[in-house]
Amino acid sequence: MRAEAERRPGPAPNRAPGGAAPRGRPARRALLPGAAGAAALKAGGLGAAWGLPPPKAGAWGAAGAWGAAGARRGARGWEQLDADRYENDPELEKIRKERNYSWMDIITICKDKLPNYEEKIKMFYEEHLHLDDEIRYVLDGSGYFDVRDAEDRWIRISMEKGDMITLPAGIYHRFTLDEQNYVKVMRLFVGDPVWTAYNRPADHFEARGQYVAFLAQTAA
């Protein structure tokens, strides 16, 4: 997992969905940073830590963008999972039990596998939020999640095989493929899945208010 942040407010280093995107420096393959992540994000995310070595185990992870979920549920970081044995991986099963990820499916995003591919890619790239956490585990291929830091700057996170990410309810984000135009991911959910995405602006939702309030409280 790699992450890269802008040095100034404004749009992300943009590109057409499915094309090449800028590469960031290596970061620890952390999956679920905790409360320290929110503090780092409030302080400016990677913009405040640019040029420092990758975070150590238990630190704020790739970008600190998932701190709210971590603090609410006592999240922790795991070493990279073995995507080649996801069907009988005891570490993955442990995570699912600890986090109550009772629902799961697998989706392949590429022209040959995903119906309405072009439409879906454009939809994924629209900045939006969800009212529930978004959990994704990359089984093959790669792509990018863009998330906003506390100063509304984009942070681009490179997701590769073996990476898992949790985006907390209420965080603005978007997703796109890289130059491979292919990713296979496991989608995990607590209870029945709810796929509704609310495009920005969506600040009136309680989940958004809770996320923003948590960032402010953690950094205070």
Side-chain angles (χ1 to χ4, degrees), residues 45-211:
L46 279 184
W50 195 258
L52 297 178
K56 297 180 181 179
W60 51 276
W66 318 279
R72 285 200 305 272
R73 302 184 180 90
R76 48 172 287 194
W78 293 277
E79 296 301 324
Q80 185 184 22
L81 296 172
D82 186 353
D84 289 328
R85 59 177 190 140
Y86 70 89
E87 293 180 306
N88 55 6
D89 183 0
E91 183 64 18
L92 175 60
E93 186 63 25
K94 179 182 177 182
I95 292 171
R96 291 190 62 184
K97 288 181 178 179
E98 288 179 349
R99 313 282 297 177
N100 296 317
Y101 295 155
S102 56
W103 189 93
M104 178 273 287
D105 79 348
I106 294 173
I107 181 173
T108 300
I109 304 175
C110 67
K111 289 184 178 180
D112 297 333
K113 298 288 186 179
L114 184 65
N116 302 316
Y117 170 81
E118 297 293 344
E119 178 182 341
K120 292 288 182 62
I121 286 294
K122 291 178 181 178
M123 181 181 69
F124 295 156
Y125 200 61
E126 286 287 333
E127 184 177 3
H128 63 276
L129 59 76
H130 301 286
L131 305 186
D132 298 280
D133 292 355
E134 180 172 333
I135 307 104
R136 299 291 183 267
Y137 173 27
V138 180
L139 304 178
D140 196 18
S142 52
Y144 296 98
F145 274 104
D146 295 336
V147 299
R148 294 284 191 180
D149 71 6
E151 297 180 11
D152 210 36
R153 299 172 302 183
W154 282 116
I155 297 174
R156 172 152 286 186
I157 305 164
S158 174
M159 297 291 297
E160 300 174 348
K161 182 178 179 178
D163 290 337
M164 179 184 282
I165 189 171
T166 292
L167 301 176
I171 188 172
Y172 284 123
H173 65 282
R174 63 190 183 187
F175 176 80
T176 190
L177 298 173
D178 61 13
E179 62 273 8
Q180 296 187 62
N181 292 320
Y182 167 79
V183 70
K184 179 180 180 181
V185 299
M186 178 183 293
R187 302 185 292 187
L188 297 157
F189 217 90
V190 178
D192 293 331
V194 179
W195 304 115
T196 307
Y198 299 94
N199 291 346
R200 191 171 185 175
D203 296 338
H204 60 286
F205 285 106
E206 182 179 2
R208 178 62 184 172
Q210 289 176 344
Y211 178 71

